[in-house]
Amino acid sequence: MAITVVGSVAYDTIETPSGKRERCLGGAATYFSLSASFFTDVRVIAVVGEDFGKRQEAVFAARNIDTRGIEHVPGKSFFWAGSYLDNLNEAKTEATDLNVFAAFEPKIPAAYSGSEFLFLANIDPILQRRVREAMPNVKLVAGDTMNYWIKDHKPALLEVLKGLDILLINDTETKMLADNTNFVQAARAVLKLGPKSLVVKHGEYGATLFHHAIKPASTKMKYDTKCFKAPAFLLEQIVDPTGAGDSFAGGFFGYLASQPEQTPAAYRRAMFYGTVMGSFACERFGTERIQALTRQEIDARFNQLRELTHLD
Amino acid sequence: MAITVVGSVAYDTIETPSGKRERCLGGAATYFSLSASFFTDVRVIAVVGEDFGKRQEAVFAARNIDTRGIEHVPGKSFFWAGSYLDNLNEAKTEATDLNVFAAFEPKIPAAYSGSEFLFLANIDPILQRRVREAMPNVKLVAGDTMNYWIKDHKPALLEVLKGLDILLINDTETKMLADNTNFVQAARAVLKLGPKSLVVKHGEYGATLFHHAIKPASTKMKYDTKCFKAPAFLLEQIVDPTGAGDSFAGGFFGYLASQPEQTPAAYRRAMFYGTVMGSFACERFGTERIQALTRQEIDARFNQLRELTHLD
C-alpha cells in the first residue's frame, strides 16, 4: 500500500572524517522515500527551487517514486551544511538556508489521495498537522520531529502528536518531550501524548519500540510483547551518518506499509528493516549507498541482524 | 565447575538521585561472586581489614561462596565513595582509600587449586598476572580492567591480555586500548592483543560480544556467528548502577562455567545472563537486590530479554 511523505528535499554539503561532498541531494523526504521505495510505492510532497533539475528528478524516477507532489518554485532549494569531524554521532550544523522551504505550503495532488499510509517528516508541526487533516482517510500515520520544535513550538507539536499512530524520535528528544531524564518513564509519558507507538532511535546503539500497552509499575518495568529492541548493525566504517534516521524511518514504515496487516510481529520486523536501511545509509556519502541498493542486499543484512541478536 | 575470582572486597558510600548509603559492602569481587554464585561454585581471593566482620562474612556464606581466600589483615578495608547525582551512567568518584588493598599480595588457598575457571577482576595487572601464573591449569580465564591501567600501566596490562580467554571492558576502554575511535575496528585490534573473546559493555545500551574469527573487510563488517549483541534490559528506575558491570561479568562467566561445553551458543546465553544480572544490580543500592534474588527470577528475566529482542 502506498505511502505519502511530506518533508524536505534539499541539498547538503557534508564533511566527515572520510571526506567532503558539496551540495549532494538530501533532505528527510529524499532519504525516507528512497529507503521506503524498496518496500512499497512512495509519493512525495515537497518544494524545490530552480536548482532542482532533471538529474535530481532521475534519482526519484529510478526508484519509481511519485514526484508529482514536489512543487517547483522560483529561488533556491533548502540547503544544509554540516560537519561530523568532531563527532560522527552528531552533526555540527555549519549553515541552514531555508530558501524556498521558508514559504512551503504543502499541496496534495489528487493522485495521492488514495494513500493509506502517511509519513510526516521533520518539518514545522503546523504544516504536519495541515497535511494530516487534508488526508483524513489514511490508515496509519507516522511522524518525526526534532529538538527545535519540541523546545520552541510545543503547543503546535502536541496537536500533531494527538493524530499520530507512530512517533519516531531519538533519546534526547524523548526525554526533552517528556521532561524526564529516565528513558523508560519518558517513553511512557510520550505515549500518553497521543502516539500509539513510539520508536526511539539510539544512533549507534540501535532503537527501541514501545507500544502504549506497557503496564505501569512501581520500581521495575513490566514487559509485554509490545516492547522490542533492535541493536544497530555493526559497521566497520561510518562514512556519513547523514540521513540514517530518515532511512531508518523509510525502512520501518515502508516495510509496515508493505504488509497486509500491521501486527506486533510486523512491527518487530519493521524495526529490523529500519535498522538495516539506516546502516546502509551510513556506508557512503549522502544517498549514494541507498540509491545503489538491491532488495537482495537488504534481506541479506536483515538475516545478519537476526544472527547478531538471536540466541539460536 | 568452580570459579576463582581475585579482586576487591570493599566498602562503598554511594549517592544517587534515589538516596544515599554509607559504607555498604561492595568491591568488584563481591559483586562478581554474588552474581556468579547463582550459576556455579565461587571462590574469592581478596584482602580485607578489621572492619570486615561476621555480618559481611554472612553475605558470602548465604550464597555458599568460599571465602577462605579472603585474607584478614590489620587496618581498614578498601573504601570508595562516589556520586551519580549528575549522571546515572557514570560515577563521580569522591574518595578512594586503598587502605589494606595497597599492599595486597594475593594468596591462593590450596583448596582453590582445582578451579577450572578464573576471573581477574579490575586490579593492578601485575597482581592479575601473578594469580594467572599461579593457576596454570585453569580451563578458561576472563578479566576486567579500567582506564587507569590502560593509560598508565599499559605494558603490564598487555602481558595480562596475552593470557586471557575473555576480556570484559566498556566502549571507552576498548577505544582507548586500541587507540582507535571506531568501535568495530577497536574491538578487532583488542582481539589481536591476546583475548580470544571480547565483551564490550555499553551501559544502558547493552553489550557486544566479539570472537576473533571476525573476518577482515574493507568498508563493511563481515559477520560470522561469533558476534552477538545483547541490548540492556529496560529499567524504569535505576536506583544505583554501582557494580552493574561486575554483576554482568558474574552472570556471564558464572553461566559459562556452569555449562559442560563453552560453545558459541553458550556464549550467547551467557551474554543474556550477564545482562540480566547487571540489570538486577541496578534496582537497589549496593548488593541488596543481588543478595535477595532467586534463580527463578533470573530465568524469568532471561525469558523477558529474549522476548524483548527476538522476532518470533
Side-chain angles (χ1 to χ4, degrees):
Chain A
M1 287 175 279
I3 299 176
T4 289
V5 50
V6 58
S8 58
V9 171
Y11 287 101
D12 294 339
T13 289
I14 303 159
E15 191 162 18
T16 85
S18 301
K20 189 171 180 176
R21 288 293 185 282
E22 303 272 357
R23 292 182 62 77
C24 36
L25 182 62
T30 304
Y31 283 102
F32 177 92
S33 57
L34 287 172
S35 175
S37 73
F38 288 92
F39 303 92
T40 194
D41 291 336
V42 185
R43 300 156 177 174
V44 188
I45 299 169
V47 63
V48 294
E50 292 149 314
D51 49 4
F52 185 93
K54 283 203 162 47
R55 211 155 57 90
Q56 288 73 34
E57 186 67 55
V59 172
F60 291 88
R63 296 286 329 141
N64 282 316
I65 296 164
D66 194 330
T67 56
R68 283 175 287 178
I70 300 186
E71 188 185 3
H72 293 250
V73 299
K76 282 183 161 182
S77 300
F78 185 11
F79 172 76
W80 176 80
S83 165
Y84 300 89
L85 290 181
D86 294 337
N87 182 357
L88 256 179
N89 293 308
E90 199 178 329
K92 190 176 142 202
T93 294
E94 310 276 3
T96 307
D97 300 334
L98 288 177
N99 298 326
V100 299
F101 210 74
F104 182 32
E105 289 284 349
K107 292 171 194 68
I108 303 160
Y112 288 15
S113 64
S115 299
E116 287 177 284
F117 290 77
L118 175 62
F119 188 75
L120 307 169
N122 167 35
I123 52 171
D124 187 333
I126 288 175
L127 301 184
Q128 289 182 314
R129 189 180 171 191
R130 207 173 292 163
V131 173
R132 173 68 187 92
E133 287 175 352
M135 298 183 75
N137 297 321
V138 293
K139 186 178 167 188
L140 209 68
V141 189
D144 188 5
T145 191
M146 68 183 289
N147 49 7
Y148 171 72
W149 307 114
I150 297 171
K151 197 163 159 282
D152 295 334
H153 295 75
K154 200 160 180 181
L157 179 62
L158 291 177
E159 285 305 312
V160 173
L161 296 185
K162 287 180 192 166
L164 282 191
D165 294 298
I166 308 168
L167 175 66
L168 295 100
I169 49 180
N170 69 28
D171 293 55
T172 313
E173 291 155 359
T174 304
K175 291 173 183 174
M176 191 186 277
L177 190 52
D179 196 18
N180 189 324
T181 58
N182 177 285
F183 169 58
V184 181
Q185 289 172 15
R188 180 177 301 157
V190 169
L191 287 174
K192 286 188 181 145
L193 301 175
K196 294 180 192 66
S197 303
L198 171 66
V199 176
V200 185
K201 296 169 287 179
H202 313 303
E204 62 175 325
Y205 293 115
T208 306
L209 165 70
F210 294 89
H211 281 226
H212 67 350
I214 294 166
K215 295 164 206 148
S218 55
T219 57
K220 47 187 165 160
M221 181 81 188
K222 299 287 180 206
Y223 280 103
D224 62 28
T225 53
K226 289 174 182 162
C227 198
F228 185 68
K229 283 200 159 207
F233 196 74
L234 287 168
L235 287 178
E236 187 145 347
Q237 198 187 1
I238 294 164
V239 172
D240 171 18
T242 309
D246 300 312
S247 302
F248 179 103
F252 174 84
F253 205 51
Y255 176 77
L256 269 189
S258 77
Q259 296 301 293
E261 280 190 275
Q262 287 68 46
T263 60
Y267 270 79
R268 287 169 176 247
R269 291 192 299 272
M271 289 289 287
F272 266 37
Y273 278 111
T275 302
V276 164
M277 297 309 288
S279 78
F280 277 123
C282 298
E283 289 188 349
R284 279 164 65 183
F285 273 99
T287 58
E288 286 173 21
R289 184 72 180 102
I290 301 277
Q291 281 184 57
L293 272 179
T294 65
R295 180 63 195 251
Q296 207 173 10
E297 287 177 298
I298 294 167
D299 286 327
R301 187 164 288 188
F302 180 97
N303 289 330
Q304 289 175 321
L305 194 58
R306 180 198 284 264
E307 215 172 76
L308 185 65
T309 55
H310 282 47
L311 289 175
D312 312 299
Chain B
M1 285 174 282
I3 299 176
T4 288
V5 51
V6 59
S8 58
V9 170
Y11 288 100
D12 294 340
T13 288
I14 303 161
E15 191 163 16
T16 85
S18 301
K20 190 170 180 178
R21 289 292 185 283
E22 302 273 356
R23 294 184 60 78
C24 37
L25 182 63
T30 304
Y31 283 102
F32 177 92
S33 58
L34 287 173
S35 176
S37 73
F38 288 91
F39 303 93
T40 194
D41 291 336
V42 185
R43 300 155 177 176
V44 188
I45 299 169
V47 64
V48 293
E50 292 148 314
D51 48 6
F52 185 94
K54 284 203 159 50
R55 211 155 57 91
Q56 288 73 36
E57 185 68 54
V59 172
F60 291 88
R63 297 285 330 140
N64 282 316
I65 297 164
D66 193 332
T67 56
R68 283 176 287 178
I70 300 185
E71 188 184 4
H72 293 249
V73 299
K76 282 184 162 184
S77 299
F78 186 10
F79 172 74
W80 176 81
S83 165
Y84 300 88
L85 290 181
D86 294 337
N87 183 357
L88 256 178
N89 293 307
E90 200 179 329
K92 190 176 143 204
T93 294
E94 310 275 3
T96 307
D97 300 334
L98 288 178
N99 299 328
V100 299
F101 210 75
F104 181 33
E105 290 283 350
K107 291 169 195 69
I108 303 162
Y112 288 15
S113 64
S115 298
E116 287 177 284
F117 290 78
L118 174 63
F119 187 75
L120 308 168
N122 168 35
I123 51 171
D124 187 333
I126 288 174
L127 300 184
Q128 289 182 314
R129 189 179 173 192
R130 206 173 292 162
V131 174
R132 172 69 187 92
E133 287 176 350
M135 297 184 74
N137 297 322
V138 292
K139 186 178 167 188
L140 208 69
V141 188
D144 189 4
T145 189
M146 69 184 289
N147 47 9
Y148 172 74
W149 307 115
I150 297 171
K151 197 163 159 282
D152 295 334
H153 296 76
K154 201 160 179 181
L157 179 61
L158 290 176
E159 285 305 313
V160 173
L161 296 185
K162 286 181 192 165
L164 280 193
D165 294 296
I166 307 168
L167 175 65
L168 295 99
I169 49 180
N170 69 27
D171 293 57
T172 313
E173 290 155 1
T174 304
K175 291 172 182 175
M176 190 188 275
L177 191 51
D179 196 17
N180 188 325
T181 57
N182 177 285
F183 169 58
V184 181
Q185 289 172 16
R188 182 177 298 156
V190 169
L191 286 173
K192 285 188 180 146
L193 300 176
K196 294 178 191 69
S197 303
L198 171 67
V199 176
V200 184
K201 295 170 285 178
H202 313 304
E204 61 174 328
Y205 294 115
T208 306
L209 165 71
F210 294 89
H211 280 225
H212 66 351
I214 294 168
K215 297 164 204 148
S218 54
T219 56
K220 46 187 164 158
M221 182 82 186
K222 299 286 182 208
Y223 280 103
D224 61 29
T225 52
K226 288 175 183 161
C227 198
F228 185 69
K229 281 199 158 208
F233 196 73
L234 287 167
L235 287 178
E236 187 146 345
Q237 198 187 1
I238 295 164
V239 171
D240 171 19
T242 309
D246 299 313
S247 301
F248 179 103
F252 174 86
F253 206 52
Y255 177 77
L256 270 187
S258 77
Q259 296 300 293
E261 279 190 277
Q262 286 68 45
T263 61
Y267 270 78
R268 287 169 176 248
R269 291 193 299 270
M271 288 289 285
F272 266 37
Y273 277 111
T275 302
V276 164
M277 298 309 287
S279 78
F280 277 123
C282 298
E283 288 189 348
R284 279 164 66 182
F285 273 98
T287 59
E288 286 173 21
R289 184 72 181 105
I290 301 277
Q291 281 184 58
L293 271 178
T294 66
R295 180 63 195 252
Q296 206 173 8
E297 288 177 298
I298 294 167
D299 287 326
R301 186 163 290 189
F302 180 98
N303 290 331
Q304 289 176 319
L305 194 58
R306 180 198 285 262
E307 216 173 77
L308 186 65
T309 55
H310 282 46
L311 289 175
D312 313 297

